[in-house]
Amino acid sequence: MRFITKNYSALTAAWLFAVGAVQAQTVEPVTNLSTIEVRDFIDVAHRGASGYLPEHTQASAVMAHALGADYIEQDVQLSRDGIPVVLHDHYLDEISDVADVFPKRHRPDGKYYVVDFTLKHLQQLTLKPRVNDKGERRYPQRFGLATTSFKVQTLAEHLALVKELNRVRGTDTGVYIEIKSPRWYHQQDYDITAAVMRVLEDAGYKEGALPTPIYLQSFDPETLRRLKRQYHIDYPLVQLIADNSWNESSVDYDALRTYAGMESLSSYAEGVGLWLGHVLTGVKDGEPQWSDVLSNAQRAKLPVFVYTLRADDLPEGVESHRQLRGWLKQAGVTGVFSDFPDKK
């Protein structure tokens, strides 16, 4: 990885292990760190290979694995019976047929929330390509076959799937898990962090032995601190930084993007996830223009992951996904989240 070659000494051997090669057929700790493969750039499949198949479906995860993604992302929501499921949004309206299957199960705001449905009910739904609030497909050129049935998957199922694909393919693809909106879930009387940790522990993600490489990420700083303090996590944690207008939490993300902010989060996180719109400010005379946030992170010795690259939705002035990925790599970024993990 790029940050290792720059001698970011604050990272631990556990971090190296989580990033490096895990034995495909056994779950045993690595004892010789010199044998670990160190990648110079990491490609994370954003919600699976979501540029080709509906996001967070089993098929999308399998395709991402086959396309050679280094990590596959799992966003986590909770069912009514407290089971972690792999979905990005609190609600189901834009990515499923919930309004057809359970027309009366919406809240007063008209939305159908994941947490209002048991796993059994969630599994009756069919996942579809994402639509906007007008019901129009967000990315019209992507997969759109309505007769194909994609189902909601649990986090446990996704973890088992990646592990088994690693075994049969002889690879070390990792998982990149986001704990979604822990404060919102607390308001609903759920502890999503504890629920995720139970699944991880049951799947064998314990001190000294990991079934696959793993990152955990969250937009909420207190959640990451809790993972260190209560669960003694020894694999890498990544602080996601949003735009304040997204209302991800009460945190001032503008302040976190400063050098002082980066220094503060380096006390509990081993990396930072930055939105592409905060990193690339434009293209001038064919050259990328970067904001100060990259240098702030580098000064704080924090590896940077940038989200999200989309070959069918490029920033103005960018000619191709490959060009954008190459620019970010040259700028010292550790890795990127992409809907198209094969476009390198």
Side-chain angles (χ1 to χ4, degrees):
M1 266 185 205
R2 181 169 298 275
F3 65 87
I4 294 175
T5 64
K6 289 186 177 179
N7 192 30
Y8 289 165
S9 59
L11 301 179
T12 63
W15 162 269
L16 286 172
F17 169 56
V19 171
V22 176
Q23 295 298 319
Q25 298 189 24
T26 61
V27 182
E28 297 179 355
V30 172
T31 57
N32 184 359
L33 294 178
S34 66
T35 66
I36 295 177
E37 175 190 355
V38 179
R39 300 184 178 100
D40 67 344
F41 197 74
I42 294 176
D43 291 284
V44 184
H46 181 244
R47 310 179 198 174
S50 56
Y52 300 109
L53 289 164
E55 64 186 60
H56 282 325
T57 58
Q58 184 183 70
S60 181
V62 170
M63 188 169 190
H65 199 284
L67 290 177
D70 297 314
Y71 287 78
I72 301 172
E73 183 192 30
Q74 294 83 24
D75 294 304
V76 181
Q77 304 285 349
L78 287 184
S79 68
R80 185 175 181 179
D81 37 355
I83 299 173
V85 293
V86 181
L87 292 167
H88 180 267
D89 300 346
H90 295 325
Y91 41 85
L92 297 154
D93 309 53
E94 296 181 357
I95 48 86
S96 79
D97 60 350
V98 64
D100 297 326
V101 179
F102 299 106
K104 298 181 181 180
R105 294 282 298 278
H106 57 78
R107 291 193 181 188
D109 63 3
K111 295 185 180 299
Y112 298 82
Y113 285 75
V114 177
V115 77
D116 293 339
F117 295 84
T118 65
L119 178 61
K120 180 180 179 180
H121 289 150
L122 289 173
Q123 290 175 332
Q124 295 177 38
L125 304 178
T126 297
L127 297 178
K128 297 182 176 182
R130 181 174 289 274
V131 298
N132 59 25
D133 54 6
K134 297 180 181 178
E136 302 165 338
R137 284 173 54 196
R138 184 72 61 87
Y139 300 101
Q141 300 305 314
R142 297 186 182 185
F143 187 94
L145 188 61
T147 56
T148 306
S149 181
F150 301 104
K151 298 299 181 182
V152 173
Q153 301 287 302
T154 67
L155 176 60
E157 289 169 335
H158 263 249
L159 297 177
L161 176 65
V162 174
K163 179 183 175 183
E164 180 67 2
L165 287 171
N166 282 349
R167 184 187 70 81
V168 298
R169 298 188 67 229
T171 60
D172 66 333
T173 303
V175 295
Y176 208 125
I177 300 168
E178 180 180 347
I179 300 175
K180 302 293 291 187
S181 306
R183 298 189 185 193
W184 183 86
Y185 272 104
H186 180 72
Q187 294 169 0
Q188 314 299 311
D189 294 326
Y190 288 87
D191 187 341
I192 188 171
T193 302
V196 168
M197 291 310 301
R198 283 193 294 271
V199 171
L200 287 174
E201 290 171 5
D202 289 346
Y205 291 85
K206 300 175 182 178
E207 183 177 356
L210 302 176
T212 71
I214 180 174
Y215 287 86
L216 281 182
Q217 63 179 350
S218 178
F219 282 105
D220 182 49
E222 180 52 35
T223 295
L224 298 181
R225 295 189 190 100
R226 179 186 175 192
L227 289 171
K228 290 283 191 186
R229 180 178 63 247
Q230 180 178 344
Y231 294 97
H232 309 292
I233 294 300
D234 61 355
Y235 40 83
L237 303 179
V238 175
Q239 174 67 62
L240 286 167
I241 295 184
D243 191 88
N244 284 341
S245 65
W246 303 347
N247 297 317
E248 286 287 345
S249 74
S250 59
V251 174
D252 182 358
Y253 292 108
D254 291 345
L256 279 185
R257 294 200 303 275
T258 66
Y259 172 62
M262 292 290 173
E263 278 281 286
S264 70
L265 68 88
S266 67
S267 65
Y268 61 86
E270 286 79 26
V272 60
L274 298 175
W275 177 45
L276 178 60
H278 286 155
V279 173
L280 180 70
T281 60
V283 178
K284 183 177 180 181
D285 299 327
E287 295 296 326
Q289 306 298 302
W290 308 115
S291 72
D292 292 338
V293 69
L294 279 184
S295 60
N296 292 339
Q298 289 165 354
R299 287 174 61 200
K301 297 182 171 56
L302 281 170
V304 172
F305 291 87
V306 173
Y307 64 92
T308 304
L309 276 60
R310 297 182 172 95
D312 51 0
D313 189 16
L314 295 168
E316 185 176 354
V318 178
E319 296 179 358
S320 68
H321 184 284
R322 178 174 293 181
Q323 180 188 62
L324 179 56
R325 179 184 179 276
W327 281 348
L328 289 163
K329 183 176 180 180
Q330 291 171 8
V333 167
T334 296
V336 295
F337 287 76
S338 176
D339 290 4
F340 299 86
D342 58 322
K343 294 187 182 295
K344 302 177 180 180

